[in-house]
């Protein structure tokens, strides 16, 4: 074992030195975000989460640390970095809270990315700088009340009206919708083809009521999108894509970020469990001295390490443009499930204290229940892998 490993016990929990695979730029980005989370997120997050309130003021700070679209080009409001930088930034944000990582995932991967990738130059110049700087908040509307895992069945639609389209329908479970200035909405045209439409706050007939009563992702605001004969200029339709592959390719970007992000939540739970087990004594010795506690801790760090390596390899393939949707699904599913299991084990190590907000465990655990479901559920990702390895589509 390398000298100094013991002193580094609490330093990021990078057991296999994945840091050694990162460049100077990755490490600088990682440290900047880690410091920002410690200063701006950790001191307030339990309180906001407790009150089920979104810390909106963090949007500007997220923009300043380059959390919105880290791998998008700088001239379009992104960070101009690579996919691993994007991943490691998501990891550090989710070490703070999944809801804070969500803010960045939605803004960068689900709003800026489709406008950059499928938008006209005019659309890019109009929206991306404001989204990149946090002046505008964006949201992404795919899920509907009756179409979650099967977005191809969506009923939200646009009808031709000269130089406008008329948008009708509703979207459900939309992160940031009540506070969003722009929404990238997926709707079917009169031929039944899915199109991306940029809808702006204030367009008559458009509303975004908040969804209340969530026990998960409480520091993130979630709502509906309701469209009643909304007249949207045709110039707001994304010209560069048609069909479900439009929203699904945005999801590939965001799912990739979640595969990294979940590791951050797991590391924070592990960190808390390790510290607590070394401090808390029962039967005359620290909890960490019992074999059953050591089993839990050893399994946690093993699973975190495997997840880091999965994410890192996925990142190198993503940098070459070779990460497939199936590979991304495997990493999202594995890493989120891993983080949730670690949160549950960490909760046990904290005993009764584990259910309180003195420790971050329950908050992470409750958040991860959403992360397990959004961006494609745990089982949907399993079926995507199943389809990939068998060549048989179980959805049809
Ligand atoms: P299917 O026939 O398989 O595919 C339709 C077309 O899309 C292409 N495709 C992809 N393209 C890019 N990236 C991907 N990941 C892709 N997956 C598929 C595919 O090649 C095909 O292209 P083409 O050219 O042949 O037309 O579609 P399907 O209807 O059978 O659906 C497959 C299924 C079930 C896997 C898909 O619908 C799915 O992934 N469902 C899950 C829905 C989901 O993930 N929703 C997420 C909503 S957004 C969200 O949760 C944001 S959370 C925000 C936050 O972080 O706070
Ligand atoms: P359903 O699709 O009804 O699934 C219910 C259960 O059935 C799941 O366990 C699922 O795995 C299972 N199931 C479904 N189909 C199959 C099958 N073929 N085989 C086996 N099992 C199956 N969406 C957006 O568009 N934008 C957002 O910003 C956004 N943010 C969200 C934020 C939060 C807090 C939450 C909770 C959700 C968010 N979502 C968002 C929606 C999210 O993507 C959906 O909840 C998710 O895709 C699942 O859809 P559903 O909830 O309708 O569940």
């Amino acid at each position: 074992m390398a000298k100094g490993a013991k002193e580094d016990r609490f330093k990021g929990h990078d057991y296999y030195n994945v840091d050694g695979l990162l460049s100077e730029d990755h490490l600088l980005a990682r440290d900047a975000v880690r410091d920002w989370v410690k200063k701006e997120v950790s001191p307030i997050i339990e309180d906001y989460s407790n009150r089920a309130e979104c810390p909106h003021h963090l949007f500007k700070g997220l923009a300043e640390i380059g959390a919105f679209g880290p791998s998008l080009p700088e001239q379009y409001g992104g960070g101009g970095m690579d996919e691993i930088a994007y991943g490691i930034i998501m990891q550090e944000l989710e070490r703070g809270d999944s809801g804070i990582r969500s803010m960045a995932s939605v803004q960068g991967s689900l709003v800026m990315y489709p406008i950059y990738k499928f938008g006209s130059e005019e659309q890019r110049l109009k929206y991306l700088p404001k989204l990149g700087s946090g002046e505008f908040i964006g949201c992404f509307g795919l899920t509907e009340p009756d179409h979650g895992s099967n977005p191809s069945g969506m009923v939200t639609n646009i009808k031709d009206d000269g130089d406008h389209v008329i948008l009708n329908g509703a979207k459900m479970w939309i992160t940031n919708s009540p506070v969003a200035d722009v929404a990238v909405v997926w709707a079917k045209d009169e031929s039944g083809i899915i199109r991306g439409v940029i809808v702006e706050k204030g367009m008559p007939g458009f509303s975004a009521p908040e969804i209340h009563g969530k026990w998960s992702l409480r520091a993130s605001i979630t709502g509906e999108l309701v469209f009643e004969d909304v007249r949207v200029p045709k110039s707001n339709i994304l010209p560069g894509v048609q069909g479900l592959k439009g929203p699904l390719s945005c999801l590939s970007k965001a799912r990739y970020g979640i595969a990294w992000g979940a590791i951050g939540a797991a590391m924070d739970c592990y960190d808390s469990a390790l510290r607590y087990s070394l401090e808390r004594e029962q039967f005359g010795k620290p909890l960490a001295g019992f074999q059953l506690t050591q089993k839990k801790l050893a399994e946690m760090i093993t699973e975190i390490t495997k997840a880091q390596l999965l994410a890192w390899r996925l990142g190198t393939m993503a940098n070459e443009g070779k990460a497939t949707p199936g590979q991304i699904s495997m990493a999202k599913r594995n890493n989120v499930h891993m983080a949730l299991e670690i949160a549950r084990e960490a909760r046990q190590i904290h005993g009764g204290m584990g259910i309180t907000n003195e420790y971050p465990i329950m908050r992470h655990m409750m958040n991860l229940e959403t992360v397990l479901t959004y961006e494609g559920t745990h089982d949907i990702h399993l079926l995507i892998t199943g389809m990939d390895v068998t060549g048989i589509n179980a959805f049809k």
Side-chain angles (χ1 to χ4, degrees):
M1 187 187 288
K3 199 162 172 273
K6 274 197 180 147
E7 292 74 18
D8 285 349
R9 182 171 287 136
F10 295 108
K11 223 182 149 200
H13 306 303
D14 183 18
Y15 198 75
Y16 259 41
N17 189 25
V18 171
D19 275 5
L21 298 167
L22 304 180
S23 70
E24 193 73 14
D25 283 350
H26 296 145
L27 293 172
L28 282 172
R30 196 272 314 271
D31 290 345
V33 178
R34 190 177 284 180
D35 290 348
W36 181 83
V37 166
K38 263 192 206 146
K39 193 161 152 262
E40 304 291 341
V41 178
S42 304
I44 62 163
I45 195 65
E46 291 295 344
D47 181 44
Y48 274 87
S49 197
N50 206 19
R51 291 187 283 113
E53 198 184 314
C54 176
H56 300 124
H57 64 279
L58 294 180
F59 267 99
K60 282 269 157 51
L62 282 165
E64 279 160 21
I65 56 168
F68 297 152
S71 58
L72 296 181
E74 280 175 280
Q75 86 236 48
Y76 294 115
M81 291 183 281
D82 69 0
E83 299 297 337
I84 291 188
Y86 163 39
I88 206 91
I89 288 173
M90 296 302 119
Q91 175 188 296
E92 293 308 317
L93 291 179
E94 200 149 354
R95 198 190 283 272
D97 190 80
S98 302
I100 306 302
R101 195 267 308 134
S102 253
M103 285 175 167
S105 294
V106 171
Q107 187 90 346
S109 296
L110 298 181
V111 181
M112 291 172 67
Y113 174 74
I115 295 174
Y116 161 68
K117 185 80 179 167
F118 308 126
S120 64
E121 193 58 13
E122 195 191 342
Q123 291 167 345
R124 290 168 159 186
L125 295 174
K126 181 171 177 193
Y127 297 108
L128 293 180
K130 287 186 175 159
L131 288 161
S133 67
E135 186 182 338
F136 271 10
I137 296 175
C139 70
F140 175 89
L142 179 65
T143 306
E144 298 190 350
D146 294 328
H147 301 93
S149 297
N150 62 333
S152 64
M154 70 174 66
V155 293
T156 298
N157 63 85
I158 47 173
K159 290 202 166 48
D160 199 278
D161 187 33
D163 55 0
H164 284 69
V165 288
I166 307 292
L167 174 66
N168 276 291
K171 299 287 177 179
M172 181 78 177
W173 294 119
I174 309 303
T175 298
N176 292 338
S177 77
V179 293
D181 301 285
V182 291
V184 170
V185 177
W186 301 92
K188 281 183 181 163
D189 68 15
E190 284 159 284
S191 316
I193 296 170
I194 294 172
R195 304 299 306 264
V197 185
I198 304 171
V199 182
E200 294 181 23
K201 187 178 182 169
M203 285 180 167
F206 171 36
S207 58
E210 185 173 350
I211 296 173
H212 294 282
K214 291 182 296 156
W215 283 114
S216 172
L217 224 65
R218 287 167 66 81
S220 167
I221 187 165
T222 316
E224 299 171 48
L225 295 171
V226 182
F227 312 108
E228 291 169 330
D229 290 329
V230 184
R231 286 189 88 231
V232 184
K234 275 189 180 156
S235 57
N236 278 32
I237 296 178
L238 298 176
V241 76
Q242 297 193 0
L244 194 59
K245 65 173 178 287
L248 289 181
S249 51
C250 306
L251 291 177
S252 277
K253 268 263 172 203
R255 291 166 177 172
Y256 167 84
I258 292 174
W260 282 86
I263 297 169
M267 283 172 166
D268 199 43
C269 291
Y270 170 76
D271 181 83
S272 188
L274 180 57
R275 287 173 196 276
Y276 189 83
S277 67
L278 288 165
E279 284 161 19
R280 168 86 174 161
E281 292 194 359
Q282 288 293 288
F283 299 98
K285 66 176 184 181
L287 298 177
F290 297 108
Q291 287 184 356
L292 285 176
T293 311
Q294 289 191 7
K295 176 177 187 288
K296 287 185 175 65
L297 292 167
E299 285 178 350
M300 284 183 195
I301 194 64
T302 305
E303 291 307 316
I304 288 172
T305 304
K306 283 154 66 179
Q308 280 181 289
L309 293 172
L310 201 58
W312 176 79
R313 176 61 187 142
L314 188 66
T316 62
M317 292 191 290
N319 275 345
E320 294 166 4
K322 290 182 183 160
T324 66
Q327 288 165 337
I328 293 169
S329 281
M330 181 185 281
K332 189 267 183 185
R333 178 178 184 274
N334 181 79
N335 290 8
V336 175
H337 187 251
M338 171 283 299
L340 187 52
E341 288 300 308
I342 283 180
R344 287 173 180 156
E345 290 288 81
R347 214 289 302 149
Q348 284 204 64
I349 289 178
H350 287 74
M353 289 310 289
I355 69 155
T356 71
N357 63 8
E358 299 242 335
Y359 295 90
I361 314 298
M362 276 301 274
R363 179 171 50 78
H364 281 307
M365 192 196 301
M366 293 193 299
N367 283 344
L368 288 162
E369 289 290 348
T370 285
V371 184
L372 196 75
T373 288
Y374 71 21
E375 305 262 8
T377 70
H378 188 63
D379 284 345
I380 291 298
H381 287 296
L382 187 77
L383 292 173
I384 291 173
T385 306
M387 177 163 62
D388 218 18
V389 298
T390 63
I392 301 169
N393 186 338
F395 300 111
K396 309 221 166 166

